[in-house]
Amino acid sequence: MKNKLTTEQTSGYNDLDKMSTVDLLSNMNKEDKTVAYTVEKVLPSIERLVEDIYSKMKSGGRLFYIGAGTSGRLGVLDASECPPTYGVPDNLVIGIIAGGDVALRKAVENAEDNSEMAWRDLQEYNITKDDVLIGIAASGTTPYVIGGVKAAKKQGIITGCITCNKNSPLSLEVNHPIELVVGPEFVTGSTRMKAGTAQKLVLNMISTTVMIKLGRVRGNKMVNMQLSNKKLVNRGVRMIMNELEVDEEKANQLLSKHKSIQEAIDRFNLNNKNE
């Protein structure tokens, strides 16, 4: 890139090591407040990507995220939270990080510099043109991510990206670039801060909107969530009580029988309709 990356520009704050605790916290908070406004500016780009993801998923396709470092971890996080939150299969939204799962906890040297590895990783999941691939890279220059989306696009796969620089090499390779120019970080170059927050907000928007459109939410309730602990079972019971206007004992019976909030509600309504 001819111009210096925005994500690498010098912080607007000097002498951080001499600031008081309250000044450090206040100034970071001041910078963080700008992130949501940056996301607002690119809502049309997010909308176009979401519509393509929904169209593919409605026909049986999947969503893939690839990234390295913080960006890769954010993609894996978003993907891993879809099954428990919306009751979808583990292989519907797939997050892949350069260097493999070990890179979730510790840096893997040079993993992000291999421009061919992402496509190899994606082929392990038999990615096809029925799927959608999103590359996540704050700088927009990560070889692992660029190589992956480039290879995918050649195969007719719809591609998107989430980056924090304008006209980056990554943006130029995809069908749907989402560019979140949040400006210099509080700590120069530390893109796990504003850039990471912006990426997380957009990932939340994408997966949540797609899941709602796929019918995984009823009203405003996670009626397909996995009932994996006592807290979630109790939440499910309350949902059934509120939706069907039944007492706690009846709601517990329905949930125990059907093992699913949505199934319990649908069966109850169907039985009442047939009576």
Side-chain angles (χ1 to χ4, degrees):
M1 297 177 69
K2 294 181 180 179
N3 299 323
K4 187 176 181 180
L5 300 174
T6 303
T7 49
E8 295 296 329
Q9 289 179 357
T10 301
S11 170
Y13 303 82
N14 291 315
D15 299 321
L16 305 188
D17 51 330
K18 297 177 182 177
M19 285 186 186
S20 67
T21 299
V22 68
D23 284 342
L24 287 168
L25 297 175
S26 297
N27 288 327
M28 276 188 269
N29 181 243
K30 186 188 300 182
E31 290 298 304
D32 287 342
K33 288 175 182 177
T34 68
V35 175
Y37 293 109
T38 299
V39 173
E40 182 180 19
K41 294 175 184 177
V42 299
L43 287 178
S45 298
I46 302 172
E47 177 190 10
R48 289 189 289 271
L49 177 55
V50 164
E51 291 294 351
D52 269 355
I53 296 169
Y54 170 61
S55 177
K56 289 293 185 179
M57 280 194 163
K58 191 170 57 171
S59 301
R62 298 166 294 172
L63 172 60
F64 286 84
Y65 299 131
I66 55 170
T70 297
S71 296
R73 293 182 189 101
L74 290 171
V76 172
L77 173 63
D78 193 75
S80 67
E81 290 180 340
C82 287
T85 306
Y86 300 108
V88 296
D90 291 340
N91 63 351
L92 186 66
V93 183
I94 299 168
I96 300 173
I97 184 171
D101 285 355
V102 66
L104 293 172
R105 293 184 179 274
K106 58 188 295 187
V108 177
E109 281 193 49
N110 303 320
E112 68 177 58
D113 295 330
N114 190 324
S115 61
E116 298 179 358
M117 185 56 69
W119 182 242
R120 294 177 200 165
D121 291 342
L122 288 163
Q123 286 181 303
E124 291 186 14
Y125 293 89
N126 298 313
I127 188 171
T128 73
K129 62 182 180 180
D130 295 328
D131 304 317
V132 177
L133 172 64
I134 298 177
I136 313 169
S139 67
T141 63
T142 308
Y144 178 87
V145 180
I146 295 171
V149 298
K150 193 172 182 178
K153 194 175 176 184
K154 284 182 180 177
Q155 298 300 317
I157 297 167
I158 292 174
T159 57
C161 75
I162 304 173
T163 183
C164 298
N165 285 302
K166 289 288 288 184
N167 301 317
S168 69
L170 176 58
S171 293
L172 299 176
E173 291 292 346
V174 302
N175 304 109
H176 296 288
I178 296 172
E179 298 175 321
L180 306 162
V181 185
V182 295
E185 296 287 2
F186 181 70
V187 176
T188 299
S190 181
T191 53
R192 73 185 189 92
M193 301 183 79
K194 287 192 299 183
T197 300
Q199 290 173 319
K200 180 66 166 70
L201 288 174
V202 172
L203 288 167
N204 285 348
M205 287 176 153
I206 290 171
S207 57
T208 302
T209 303
V210 170
M211 291 300 154
I212 292 171
K213 290 173 70 67
L214 288 171
R216 309 306 296 181
V217 170
R218 174 172 293 182
N220 58 14
K221 304 295 193 302
M222 299 181 292
V223 293
N224 286 287
M225 67 180 182
Q226 293 177 358
L227 304 172
S228 55
N229 57 50
K230 187 175 181 180
K231 177 191 75 174
L232 297 179
V233 170
N234 289 337
R235 184 187 295 172
V237 169
R238 291 195 301 274
M239 285 186 195
I240 294 170
M241 291 172 64
N242 293 335
E243 180 73 18
L244 301 179
E245 297 182 350
V246 297
D247 61 25
E248 185 175 356
E249 182 180 358
K250 181 62 175 179
N252 264 307
Q253 290 174 355
L254 289 168
L255 191 57
S256 296
K257 179 178 180 181
H258 298 292
K259 312 299 182 185
S260 159
I261 301 164
Q262 181 156 305
E263 185 73 9
I265 292 170
D266 289 345
R267 289 290 181 179
F268 181 87
N269 287 332
L270 182 62
N271 290 337
N272 282 358
K273 183 179 179 180
N274 292 334
E275 287 179 359

